[in-house]
């Protein structure tokens, strides 16, 4: 799920206030100093145990109900990696994604909608995006089998492929204030242990000033700098739109 800093509209803030989401947060400082430091250092945070085991089961049951709607991206024009590179998988299996979760009927959408304004998450959104954040576009649920295609490294304040400045993904820190134009929030619905794959990131690349070497984009070179966070079901990753797959 991607949230964007809102520069003009005040309507999202009014909506959050009507839901009571702002009542508990009167201080300008939304998160602790350790978390602020770690996000500035690495470009992401792993929040443990945001959702309970029952909520994780509810989300997974909802996905199971919509399995027929999953799209496997096998068409050459939809693949995200160069062929025969470490991130391309077995070269046949595509990335599987599932959209529409925010609009699923009944309780199927509850957990996914709560990600937008859950009281445990709002302080992080306010700290990293500012009050009045908005949903950038509808989220996708990503499902991967062994051998599925991954994603080449992409994004960043300085685009990792072109080396050009991208204001829409920009990160900065000025006078102790973090500013993030686009923030990803990813709910973990299964455990990801060391070496399992899934989300991977080049730590600190949100502050990089140069384009990334092509071999690193494709996962062929400098792999010691590519990090896969260990996460557990029910946790949530928040990350700047930086060099990631």
């Amino acid at each position: 799920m991607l949230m964007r800093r809102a520069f003009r509209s005040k309507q999202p803030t009014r909506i959050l206030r009507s839901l009571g989401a702002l009542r508990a947060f009167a201080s300008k400082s939304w998160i602790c100093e350790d978390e602020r430091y770690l996000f500035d250092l690495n470009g992401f945070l792993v929040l443990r145990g945001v959702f309970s085991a029952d909520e994780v089961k509810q989300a997974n049951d909802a996905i199971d109900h919509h399995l027929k709607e999953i799209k496997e991206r096998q068409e050459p024009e939809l693949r995200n990696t160069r062929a025969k590179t470490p991130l391309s998988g077995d070269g046949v299996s595509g990335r599987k994604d599932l959209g529409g979760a925010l609009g699923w009927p009944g309780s199927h959408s509850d957990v996914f909608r709560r990600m937008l304004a859950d009281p445990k998450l709002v302080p992080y959104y306010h700290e990293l995006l500012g009050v009045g954040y908005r949903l950038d576009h509808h989220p996708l649920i990503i499902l991967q089998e062994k051998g599925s295609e991954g994603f080449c490294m992409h994004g960043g304040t300085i685009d990792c492929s072109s080396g050009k400045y991208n204001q829409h993904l920009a990160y900065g820190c000025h006078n102790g204030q973090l500013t993030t134009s686009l923030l990803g929030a990813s709910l973990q619905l299964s455990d990801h242990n060391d070496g399992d794959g899934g989300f991977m990131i080049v730590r600190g690349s949100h502050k990089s000033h140069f384009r990334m070497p092509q071999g690193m984009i494709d996962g062929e070179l400098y792999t010691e700098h590519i990090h896969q966070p260990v996460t557990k079901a029910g946790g949530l990753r928040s990350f700047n739109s930086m060099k990631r797959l």
Side-chain angles (χ1 to χ4, degrees), residues 43-61:
F44 72 95
L45 288 173
V46 176
L47 310 179
R48 310 286 183 187
V50 175
F51 291 94
S52 68
D54 287 342
E55 290 171 317
V56 170
K57 183 179 185 303
Q58 180 184 355
N60 279 318
D61 287 348

Side-chain angles (χ1 to χ4, degrees), residues 22 94 109 123 190:
L22 301 185
S109 60
S190 62

Side-chain angles (χ1 to χ4, degrees), residues 173-189:
C173 182
H174 307 282
N175 295 324
Q177 177 64 50
L178 305 179
T179 58
T180 301
S181 297
L182 189 69
L183 183 76
S186 177
L187 172 61
Q188 303 300 108
L189 295 175

Side-chain angles (χ1 to χ4, degrees), residues 7 25 48 63 65 72 93 132 134 177 181 205 235 240 243:
F7 293 97
F25 313 115
R48 310 286 183 187
I63 292 170
H65 188 82
E72 184 174 1
S93 304
R134 62 177 176 83
Q177 177 64 50
S181 297
S205 58
N240 185 59
K243 281 76 169 178

Side-chain angles (χ1 to χ4, degrees), residues 67-103:
L67 286 178
K68 293 183 179 180
E69 301 167 28
I70 292 173
K71 306 294 183 183
E72 184 174 1
R73 309 300 179 177
Q74 292 179 300
E75 298 86 344
E77 60 272 19
L78 295 179
R79 294 185 73 84
N80 302 310
T81 59
R82 286 199 306 120
K84 298 181 180 180
T85 59
L87 304 179
S88 63
D90 59 21
V92 178
S93 304
R95 185 188 77 253
K96 295 180 179 180
D97 57 54
L98 175 63
L102 295 183

